[in-house]
Amino acid sequence: EAGVAQSPRYKIIEKRQSVAFWCNPISGHATLYWYQQILGQGPKLLIQFQNNGVVDDSQLPKDRFSAERLKGVDSTLKIQPAKLEDSAVYLCASGEEHEMFGELFFGEGSRLTVL
Amino acid sequence: AQTVTQSQPEMSVQEAETVTLSCTYDTSESDYYLFWYKQPPSRQMILVIRQEAYKQQNATENRFSVNFQKAAKSFSLKISDSQLGDAAMYFCAYNAGNMLTFGGGTRLMVKP
């Protein structure tokens, strides 16, 4: 079974530039999550989708971050304009259902460096 | 807001020995779930073990077991017979509804 796919694996940009990350979850998984993991810290949830609807985006900095999940499958996370503090690994995860005890399956992440 | 605290930034264990990683959490909920995730250097996080708060029996998965103390809001992970492949970042996580909240992580080093 294919896992969660993310691209690009690495991205280096200048501040004020824009960047987009792509995630393809495990086939059939209804829930999809984007986490931000700053070096040395635990992942922090940015946004959660159930199919193509947003369940929770309370921690997404909406002035610069946006995310969509078209057709309830793939998702993109965009940052525009990027700031130095956005340097982090962006993790995508998916799960079978919107359940508290459900296991999340993570991708390898997209590492962003903002200069 | 729920918080998850891992007070040990780094831990070290000799191969074949036992190590315990600590985790405490703060919540006013009575029904929730707790998890330990492992993140090897390749960064793909995987689930190690999970515990349902309403179950008194501690969860066990092969060499991994937890000590769940609900009143103390403590959820520690014990790794027995440590192996070199256990070296990784370990994250404790909590879920009482929509959101999985992670602790800051503990880096485990395994000495041969």
Side-chain angles (χ1 to χ4, degrees), chain A residues 2-3 11-12 16 21 33 45-46 48 51-52 56 61 69 77 81 83 88 90 96 105 109 112-113 115:
Chain A
K11 188 75 176 179
I12 300 173
R16 291 187 290 274
F21 301 112
Y33 308 76
L45 181 68
L46 292 175
Q48 177 183 340
N51 297 311
N52 60 349
D56 188 326
R69 189 183 184 194
L77 175 71
K83 291 185 175 181
Y90 291 86
E96 290 185 340
F105 296 84
L112 173 66
T113 302
L115 302 177

Side-chain angles (χ1 to χ4, degrees), chain A residues 36 44-46 57-66 78-80 86:
Chain A
Q36 180 193 58
K44 184 187 83 170
L45 181 68
L46 292 175
D57 64 356
S58 58
Q59 298 188 82
L60 187 73
K62 298 179 187 62
D63 58 333
R64 298 182 300 104
F65 285 66
S66 64
K78 296 179 182 178
I79 307 174
Q80 183 181 12
D86 298 333

